[in-house]
Amino acid sequence: MKKRLLIATGGGDCPGLNAVIRAIVKRASFHREWEVLGSIDAFDGILRDPMHLVELTEERVSGIHVMGGTIIGTTNKGGPFAWPVKNADGSWGAVDRSQDLLDRLRYQNIEAVINIGGDGSQRISQSLFEMGCPIIGVPKTIDNDLSDTDFTFGFQTAVDVASDAVDKLVTTAASHHRILILEVMGRYAGWIALHAAIAGGAEVCLIPEIPYDIEKVMDAIHKRTDLGKGFAIIVIAEGAKALGGKMVFSENDEPGAMKIQLGGVGLQLSHQLKAVGCEIEIRETILGHLQRGGRPNAFDRVLASQFGVKAFELVLEQKWGHMVAYKHPDIIGVPIKEAIRHYNLIDVDSDLVKTARGLGISLGD
Ligand code: F6P
Protein backbone atom coordinates (compact mmCIF):
# COMPACT_ATOMS: atom_id res chain seq x y z
CA MET A 1 0.00 0.00 0.00
CA LYS A 2 1.22 3.51 -0.84
CA LYS A 3 2.13 6.09 1.80
CA ARG A 4 -0.31 8.97 1.73
CA LEU A 5 0.65 12.64 2.04
CA LEU A 6 -2.08 15.24 2.49
CA ILE A 7 -1.66 18.88 1.41
CA ALA A 8 -3.91 21.65 2.74
CA THR A 9 -3.86 25.35 1.88
CA GLY A 10 -5.37 27.48 4.66
CA GLY A 11 -6.12 31.13 5.40
CA GLY A 12 -6.27 33.90 2.81
CA ASP A 13 -4.96 32.83 -0.58
CA CYS A 14 -1.85 34.36 -2.10
CA PRO A 15 0.12 34.05 -5.34
CA GLY A 16 2.44 31.03 -5.26
CA LEU A 17 0.24 28.46 -3.52
CA ASN A 18 -0.08 26.40 -6.69
CA ALA A 19 3.67 26.54 -7.26
CA VAL A 20 4.19 24.98 -3.80
CA ILE A 21 1.63 22.25 -4.51
CA ARG A 22 3.28 21.45 -7.85
CA ALA A 23 6.76 21.36 -6.30
CA ILE A 24 5.66 18.96 -3.54
CA VAL A 25 4.03 16.62 -6.06
CA LYS A 26 7.02 16.71 -8.41
CA ARG A 27 9.50 16.07 -5.60
CA ALA A 28 7.33 13.27 -4.20
CA SER A 29 7.16 11.62 -7.62
CA PHE A 30 10.79 10.50 -7.15
CA HIS A 31 9.47 8.26 -4.39
CA ARG A 32 6.92 6.00 -6.01
CA GLU A 33 5.80 4.67 -2.64
CA TRP A 34 4.13 8.05 -1.90
CA GLU A 35 0.84 9.34 -3.20
CA VAL A 36 -0.27 12.93 -2.66
CA LEU A 37 -3.79 14.08 -1.84
CA GLY A 38 -5.23 17.57 -1.46
CA SER A 39 -7.83 18.48 1.14
CA ILE A 40 -10.34 20.86 -0.39
CA ASP A 41 -10.72 24.20 1.45
CA ALA A 42 -8.01 23.70 4.07
CA PHE A 43 -8.93 20.95 6.57
CA ASP A 44 -12.62 21.29 5.74
CA GLY A 45 -12.07 18.62 3.08
CA ILE A 46 -11.29 16.10 5.81
CA LEU A 47 -13.87 17.30 8.30
CA ARG A 48 -16.83 17.47 5.91
CA ASP A 49 -19.17 14.57 5.29
CA PRO A 50 -18.53 13.23 2.76
CA MET A 51 -14.85 14.08 2.83
CA HIS A 52 -13.59 16.10 -0.10
CA LEU A 53 -10.12 14.98 -1.09
CA VAL A 54 -8.48 15.05 -4.52
CA GLU A 55 -5.58 13.06 -5.84
CA LEU A 56 -2.70 15.34 -6.84
CA THR A 57 -0.86 13.64 -9.67
CA GLU A 58 1.97 15.08 -11.77
CA GLU A 59 -0.54 15.40 -14.58
CA ARG A 60 -2.97 17.33 -12.38
CA VAL A 61 -0.36 19.86 -11.25
CA SER A 62 1.33 20.33 -14.61
CA GLY A 63 1.76 24.03 -15.40
CA ILE A 64 -0.09 25.31 -12.31
CA HIS A 65 2.95 27.18 -10.92
CA VAL A 66 2.01 30.21 -13.02
CA MET A 67 -1.58 30.32 -11.74
CA GLY A 68 -2.86 32.48 -8.90
CA GLY A 69 -5.10 31.14 -6.13
CA THR A 70 -5.02 27.50 -5.08
CA ILE A 71 -6.41 24.55 -7.02
CA ILE A 72 -7.45 22.90 -3.74
CA GLY A 73 -9.30 25.92 -2.36
CA THR A 74 -8.84 27.60 1.00
CA THR A 75 -10.76 29.23 3.81
CA ASN A 76 -9.91 31.65 6.57
CA LYS A 77 -12.96 30.70 8.59
CA GLY A 78 -13.27 28.15 11.36
CA GLY A 79 -10.77 25.30 11.26
CA PRO A 80 -10.49 22.11 13.32
CA PHE A 81 -10.21 23.90 16.67
CA ALA A 82 -13.17 26.23 16.09
CA TRP A 83 -15.55 24.48 13.73
CA PRO A 84 -18.66 26.66 13.26
CA VAL A 85 -21.95 25.09 14.38
CA LYS A 86 -25.42 26.53 14.40
CA ASN A 87 -27.02 26.57 17.84
CA ALA A 88 -30.67 25.66 18.39
CA ASP A 89 -31.56 29.37 18.71
CA GLY A 90 -30.07 30.09 15.25
CA SER A 91 -26.91 31.75 16.61
CA TRP A 92 -23.45 30.43 15.67
CA GLY A 93 -21.00 28.79 18.03
CA ALA A 94 -17.80 26.76 17.59
CA VAL A 95 -16.69 23.26 18.57
CA ASP A 96 -13.24 21.69 18.77
CA ARG A 97 -13.00 18.94 16.13
CA SER A 98 -9.23 18.49 16.27
CA GLN A 99 -9.40 14.92 17.62
CA ASP A 100 -11.97 14.08 14.97
CA LEU A 101 -9.55 15.46 12.36
CA LEU A 102 -6.72 13.23 13.62
CA ASP A 103 -9.04 10.19 13.65
CA ARG A 104 -10.10 10.90 10.09
CA LEU A 105 -6.48 11.31 8.95
CA ARG A 106 -5.71 7.93 10.49
CA TYR A 107 -8.79 6.39 8.87
CA GLN A 108 -7.51 7.68 5.51
CA ASN A 109 -4.05 6.18 6.20
CA ILE A 110 -2.48 9.60 5.92
CA GLU A 111 1.10 9.41 7.15
CA ALA A 112 2.12 13.04 6.64
CA VAL A 113 0.46 16.43 6.31
CA ILE A 114 1.87 19.59 4.72
CA ASN A 115 -0.08 22.65 5.82
CA ILE A 116 0.56 25.70 3.63
CA GLY A 117 -0.64 28.81 5.40
CA GLY A 118 0.06 31.97 7.33
CA ASP A 119 0.13 32.76 11.01
CA GLY A 120 -3.35 31.36 11.84
CA SER A 121 -2.78 28.17 9.83
CA GLN A 122 0.63 27.56 11.40
CA ARG A 123 -0.91 27.95 14.87
CA ILE A 124 -3.26 25.14 13.85
CA SER A 125 -0.23 23.14 12.58
CA GLN A 126 1.55 23.57 15.91
CA SER A 127 -1.48 22.51 17.96
CA LEU A 128 -2.04 19.46 15.73
CA PHE A 129 1.67 18.61 16.03
CA GLU A 130 1.39 18.76 19.82
CA MET A 131 -1.49 16.25 19.55
CA GLY A 132 0.78 13.87 17.63
CA CYS A 133 0.03 14.83 14.03
CA PRO A 134 2.95 14.27 11.60
CA ILE A 135 2.80 17.76 10.11
CA ILE A 136 5.11 20.16 8.24
CA GLY A 137 4.33 23.87 7.72
CA VAL A 138 4.93 26.05 4.67
CA PRO A 139 4.68 29.82 5.32
CA LYS A 140 2.55 31.86 2.94
CA THR A 141 1.12 35.35 3.17
CA ILE A 142 1.25 38.57 1.26
CA ASP A 143 1.70 40.29 4.65
CA ASN A 144 5.22 38.87 5.21
CA ASP A 145 4.46 38.84 8.94
CA LEU A 146 5.69 35.35 9.85
CA SER A 147 8.89 35.23 11.88
CA ASP A 148 11.90 33.04 11.23
CA THR A 149 11.77 33.35 7.45
CA ASP A 150 13.27 36.24 5.47
CA PHE A 151 10.23 36.30 3.20
CA THR A 152 6.97 34.48 2.76
CA PHE A 153 5.97 33.77 -0.83
CA GLY A 154 3.18 35.98 -2.19
CA PHE A 155 4.66 39.10 -0.62
CA GLN A 156 6.83 40.15 -3.56
CA THR A 157 3.94 39.77 -5.98
CA ALA A 158 1.74 41.91 -3.72
CA VAL A 159 4.51 44.53 -3.64
CA ASP A 160 4.62 44.49 -7.46
CA VAL A 161 0.88 45.13 -7.59
CA ALA A 162 1.10 47.93 -5.00
CA SER A 163 4.12 49.54 -6.72
CA ASP A 164 2.34 49.42 -10.06
CA ALA A 165 -0.62 51.15 -8.40
CA VAL A 166 1.69 53.90 -7.11
CA ASP A 167 3.12 54.38 -10.62
CA LYS A 168 -0.37 54.76 -12.00
CA LEU A 169 -1.49 57.12 -9.26
CA VAL A 170 1.53 59.36 -9.88
CA THR A 171 0.46 60.24 -13.41
CA THR A 172 -3.10 61.09 -12.47
CA ALA A 173 -2.07 62.91 -9.26
CA ALA A 174 0.40 65.01 -11.23
CA SER A 175 -2.17 65.86 -13.89
CA HIS A 176 -4.77 66.98 -11.35
CA HIS A 177 -2.40 68.40 -8.71
CA ARG A 178 -3.95 66.16 -6.08
CA ILE A 179 -2.98 64.18 -3.06
CA LEU A 180 -3.68 60.53 -3.77
CA ILE A 181 -3.84 58.11 -0.88
CA LEU A 182 -3.23 54.41 -1.56
CA GLU A 183 -4.35 52.01 1.17
CA VAL A 184 -2.63 48.64 0.98
CA MET A 185 -3.00 45.37 2.91
CA GLY A 186 -0.54 43.86 5.38
CA ARG A 187 -2.54 43.46 8.57
CA TYR A 188 -0.44 44.62 11.55
CA ALA A 189 2.76 44.93 9.50
CA GLY A 190 3.82 47.66 7.10
CA TRP A 191 5.95 45.55 4.75
CA ILE A 192 3.83 45.95 1.61
CA ALA A 193 3.35 49.68 2.24
CA LEU A 194 7.01 50.47 2.84
CA HIS A 195 8.30 48.41 -0.08
CA ALA A 196 5.72 49.92 -2.44
CA ALA A 197 6.44 53.45 -1.20
CA ILE A 198 10.17 53.03 -1.85
CA ALA A 199 9.68 51.25 -5.19
CA GLY A 200 7.08 53.74 -6.38
CA GLY A 201 8.67 56.88 -4.96
CA ALA A 202 5.84 57.97 -2.66
CA GLU A 203 6.19 61.13 -0.55
CA VAL A 204 4.60 59.72 2.60
CA CYS A 205 4.35 56.17 3.93
CA LEU A 206 2.37 55.36 7.05
CA ILE A 207 2.85 51.98 8.69
CA PRO A 208 1.48 50.30 11.83
CA GLU A 209 4.95 50.19 13.40
CA ILE A 210 5.19 54.01 13.46
CA PRO A 211 1.99 55.77 14.62
CA TYR A 212 1.67 58.95 12.59
CA ASP A 213 1.33 62.56 13.64
CA ILE A 214 -1.08 64.22 11.22
CA GLU A 215 0.75 67.56 11.56
CA LYS A 216 3.96 65.86 10.43
CA VAL A 217 2.16 64.40 7.43
CA MET A 218 0.88 67.89 6.63
CA ASP A 219 4.43 69.29 6.96
CA ALA A 220 5.66 66.75 4.42
CA ILE A 221 2.92 67.79 2.00
CA HIS A 222 3.74 71.49 2.50
CA LYS A 223 7.42 70.82 1.96
CA ARG A 224 6.55 69.21 -1.32
CA THR A 225 4.14 71.92 -2.46
CA ASP A 226 6.73 74.57 -1.50
CA LEU A 227 9.06 72.88 -3.98
CA GLY A 228 6.48 73.60 -6.64
CA LYS A 229 5.24 70.02 -6.93
CA GLY A 230 1.49 70.22 -6.83
CA PHE A 231 0.81 66.61 -5.95
CA ALA A 232 1.74 63.95 -3.45
CA ILE A 233 1.34 60.20 -3.08
CA ILE A 234 0.68 58.72 0.34
CA VAL A 235 0.90 54.97 0.84
CA ILE A 236 -0.83 53.86 4.00
CA ALA A 237 -0.92 50.34 5.44
CA GLU A 238 -4.37 49.13 6.45
CA GLY A 239 -3.11 48.63 10.03
CA ALA A 240 -1.63 52.14 10.40
CA LYS A 241 -2.93 54.39 13.14
CA ALA A 242 -2.57 57.99 14.23
CA LEU A 243 -0.64 58.82 17.40
CA GLY A 244 -2.98 58.04 20.29
CA GLY A 245 -5.53 56.65 17.81
CA LYS A 246 -6.81 53.19 16.99
CA MET A 247 -6.65 50.91 13.95
CA VAL A 248 -9.61 51.23 11.63
CA PHE A 249 -11.59 48.01 11.34
CA SER A 250 -15.05 46.57 11.17
CA GLU A 251 -16.40 43.59 13.07
CA ASN A 252 -16.96 40.56 10.86
CA ASP A 253 -19.80 38.41 12.22
CA GLU A 254 -19.75 35.73 9.50
CA PRO A 255 -19.61 32.28 11.23
CA GLY A 256 -16.03 31.31 12.04
CA ALA A 257 -14.55 34.40 10.38
CA MET A 258 -11.69 36.46 11.79
CA LYS A 259 -13.48 39.00 13.93
CA ILE A 260 -11.41 41.99 12.89
CA GLN A 261 -11.52 43.15 9.28
CA LEU A 262 -9.07 45.98 8.71
CA GLY A 263 -9.87 48.67 6.16
CA GLY A 264 -10.82 52.31 5.85
CA VAL A 265 -7.76 54.04 7.29
CA GLY A 266 -7.11 55.78 3.95
CA LEU A 267 -10.44 57.55 4.13
CA GLN A 268 -9.87 58.42 7.77
CA LEU A 269 -6.52 59.94 6.84
CA SER A 270 -8.20 62.02 4.16
CA HIS A 271 -10.65 63.42 6.77
CA GLN A 272 -7.80 64.08 9.20
CA LEU A 273 -5.83 66.01 6.55
CA LYS A 274 -8.83 68.16 5.74
CA ALA A 275 -9.41 68.74 9.46
CA VAL A 276 -5.89 70.18 9.84
CA GLY A 277 -6.44 72.53 6.91
CA CYS A 278 -5.26 70.67 3.83
CA GLU A 279 -6.63 72.58 0.85
CA ILE A 280 -5.30 70.35 -1.88
CA GLU A 281 -7.84 67.96 -3.40
CA ILE A 282 -7.56 64.43 -1.98
CA ARG A 283 -8.74 61.10 -3.39
CA GLU A 284 -8.42 57.64 -1.86
CA THR A 285 -7.80 54.23 -3.43
CA ILE A 286 -8.17 50.95 -1.55
CA LEU A 287 -6.11 48.36 -3.40
CA GLY A 288 -7.73 45.40 -1.58
CA HIS A 289 -7.72 41.88 -2.92
CA LEU A 290 -6.01 42.82 -6.19
CA GLN A 291 -2.87 42.32 -4.08
CA ARG A 292 -3.75 38.68 -3.51
CA GLY A 293 -4.98 37.64 -6.95
CA GLY A 294 -3.33 36.76 -10.21
CA ARG A 295 -0.09 35.15 -11.26
CA PRO A 296 2.86 34.99 -8.88
CA ASN A 297 5.92 36.89 -10.07
CA ALA A 298 9.15 35.02 -10.83
CA PHE A 299 10.57 35.57 -7.32
CA ASP A 300 7.52 34.05 -5.68
CA ARG A 301 7.44 31.13 -8.12
CA VAL A 302 11.04 30.32 -7.26
CA LEU A 303 10.56 30.73 -3.50
CA ALA A 304 7.32 28.71 -3.53
CA SER A 305 9.02 25.95 -5.55
CA GLN A 306 11.94 25.88 -3.13
CA PHE A 307 9.52 25.67 -0.20
CA GLY A 308 7.59 22.82 -1.81
CA VAL A 309 10.66 20.72 -2.56
CA LYS A 310 12.08 21.32 0.93
CA ALA A 311 8.73 20.55 2.59
CA PHE A 312 8.68 17.09 1.03
CA GLU A 313 12.30 16.54 2.10
CA LEU A 314 11.29 17.41 5.68
CA VAL A 315 8.55 14.78 5.34
CA LEU A 316 11.17 12.19 4.33
CA GLU A 317 13.28 13.25 7.33
CA GLN A 318 10.17 13.12 9.56
CA LYS A 319 10.90 16.61 10.87
CA TRP A 320 7.36 16.94 12.21
CA GLY A 321 6.46 20.27 13.78
CA HIS A 322 8.87 22.11 11.49
CA MET A 323 8.18 24.80 8.93
CA VAL A 324 10.24 25.51 5.85
CA ALA A 325 11.88 28.92 5.92
CA TYR A 326 14.03 31.15 3.75
CA LYS A 327 17.23 32.27 5.41
CA HIS A 328 19.18 33.75 2.57
CA PRO A 329 20.63 31.91 0.67
CA ASP A 330 19.31 28.72 2.27
CA ILE A 331 15.98 27.01 2.61
CA ILE A 332 15.86 25.43 6.05
CA GLY A 333 13.45 23.88 8.53
CA VAL A 334 12.58 25.80 11.71
CA PRO A 335 10.31 24.76 14.60
CA ILE A 336 6.80 26.08 13.88
CA LYS A 337 6.50 27.24 17.47
CA GLU A 338 9.39 29.67 16.92
CA ALA A 339 7.84 31.07 13.74
CA ILE A 340 4.52 31.85 15.43
CA ARG A 341 5.99 33.20 18.67
CA HIS A 342 5.59 36.79 17.47
CA TYR A 343 4.65 38.72 14.35
CA ASN A 344 7.42 39.75 12.00
CA LEU A 345 7.00 43.51 12.14
CA ILE A 346 9.27 46.15 10.62
CA ASP A 347 12.15 47.10 12.89
CA VAL A 348 11.93 50.89 13.03
CA ASP A 349 15.73 51.11 13.22
CA SER A 350 16.27 48.82 10.22
CA ASP A 351 18.08 49.74 7.02
CA LEU A 352 14.78 49.56 5.16
CA VAL A 353 13.37 52.35 7.31
CA LYS A 354 16.65 54.28 7.04
CA THR A 355 16.46 53.95 3.26
CA ALA A 356 12.96 55.40 3.23
CA ARG A 357 14.04 58.29 5.43
CA GLY A 358 17.18 58.77 3.33
CA LEU A 359 14.98 59.17 0.26
CA GLY A 360 13.01 61.87 2.04
CA ILE A 361 9.89 59.74 2.46
CA SER A 362 7.96 61.00 5.48
CA LEU A 363 6.91 58.25 7.85
CA GLY A 364 4.63 60.63 9.69
CA ASP A 365 6.84 60.94 12.78
O1 F6P B 1 -3.55 38.10 5.61
C1 F6P B 1 -3.78 38.42 4.28
C2 F6P B 1 -4.82 39.51 4.17
O2 F6P B 1 -4.99 39.81 2.79
C3 F6P B 1 -4.54 40.76 4.98
O3 F6P B 1 -3.58 41.59 4.37
C4 F6P B 1 -5.93 41.34 5.07
O4 F6P B 1 -6.07 42.16 6.22
C5 F6P B 1 -6.80 40.13 5.18
O5 F6P B 1 -6.06 39.04 4.66
C6 F6P B 1 -8.09 40.24 4.42
O6 F6P B 1 -8.84 39.09 4.66
P1 F6P B 1 -10.16 38.74 3.84
O7 F6P B 1 -9.75 38.09 2.55
O8 F6P B 1 -10.88 37.79 4.73
O9 F6P B 1 -10.90 40.00 3.60
Side-chain angles (χ1 to χ4, degrees), residues 109-178:
N109 291 317
I110 286 163
E111 295 189 30
V113 177
I114 296 181
N115 192 19
I116 311 169
D119 171 69
S121 304
Q122 298 315 335
R123 282 179 200 285
I124 292 174
S125 301
Q126 177 61 24
S127 301
L128 291 174
F129 167 65
E130 285 168 14
M131 293 172 72
C133 181
I135 195 163
I136 300 294
V138 177
K140 72 85 228 191
T141 167
I142 61 163
D143 304 333
N144 199 39
D145 60 357
L146 266 162
S147 296
D148 269 28
T149 181
D150 290 352
F151 289 116
T152 51
F153 68 87
F155 167 66
Q156 299 286 355
T157 304
V159 170
D160 280 355
V161 173
S163 307
D164 184 51
V166 174
D167 293 351
K168 288 178 172 144
L169 292 177
V170 165
T171 60
T172 169
S175 305
H176 284 267
H177 320 294
R178 284 174 168 163

Side-chain angles (χ1 to χ4, degrees), residues 265-286:
V265 71
L267 188 59
Q268 174 181 279
L269 175 68
S270 177
H271 293 319
Q272 289 169 337
L273 286 170
K274 287 172 193 156
V276 293
C278 181
E279 288 176 352
I280 308 170
E281 252 191 324
I282 311 174
R283 294 287 187 274
E284 312 81 24
T285 301
I286 300 180

Side-chain angles (χ1 to χ4, degrees), residues 50-73:
M51 289 187 199
H52 197 174
L53 307 179
V54 286
E55 200 183 340
L56 294 170
T57 58
E58 277 190 274
E59 212 176 15
R60 179 68 191 87
V61 301
S62 172
I64 65 168
H65 57 299
V66 305
M67 289 165 48
T70 160
I71 61 163
I72 52 175

Side-chain angles (χ1 to χ4, degrees), residues 11-14 76-77 140-143 145 184-188 192 238 252 254 257-258 260-263 288-289 291-292:
D13 70 331
C14 83
N76 57 6
K77 291 183 188 163
K140 72 85 228 191
T141 167
I142 61 163
D143 304 333
D145 60 357
V184 298
M185 284 184 167
R187 249 185 357 157
Y188 310 125
I192 298 175
E238 61 180 0
N252 186 349
E254 289 166 41
M258 291 184 298
I260 288 180
Q261 202 165 356
L262 292 167
H289 291 80
Q291 293 158 100
R292 292 224 313 244

Side-chain angles (χ1 to χ4, degrees), residues 281-309:
E281 252 191 324
I282 311 174
R283 294 287 187 274
E284 312 81 24
T285 301
I286 300 180
L287 200 49
H289 291 80
L290 289 174
Q291 293 158 100
R292 292 224 313 244
R295 296 152 74 93
N297 68 9
F299 181 94
D300 281 333
R301 289 181 205 181
V302 174
L303 185 61
S305 301
Q306 287 185 287
F307 278 177
V309 167

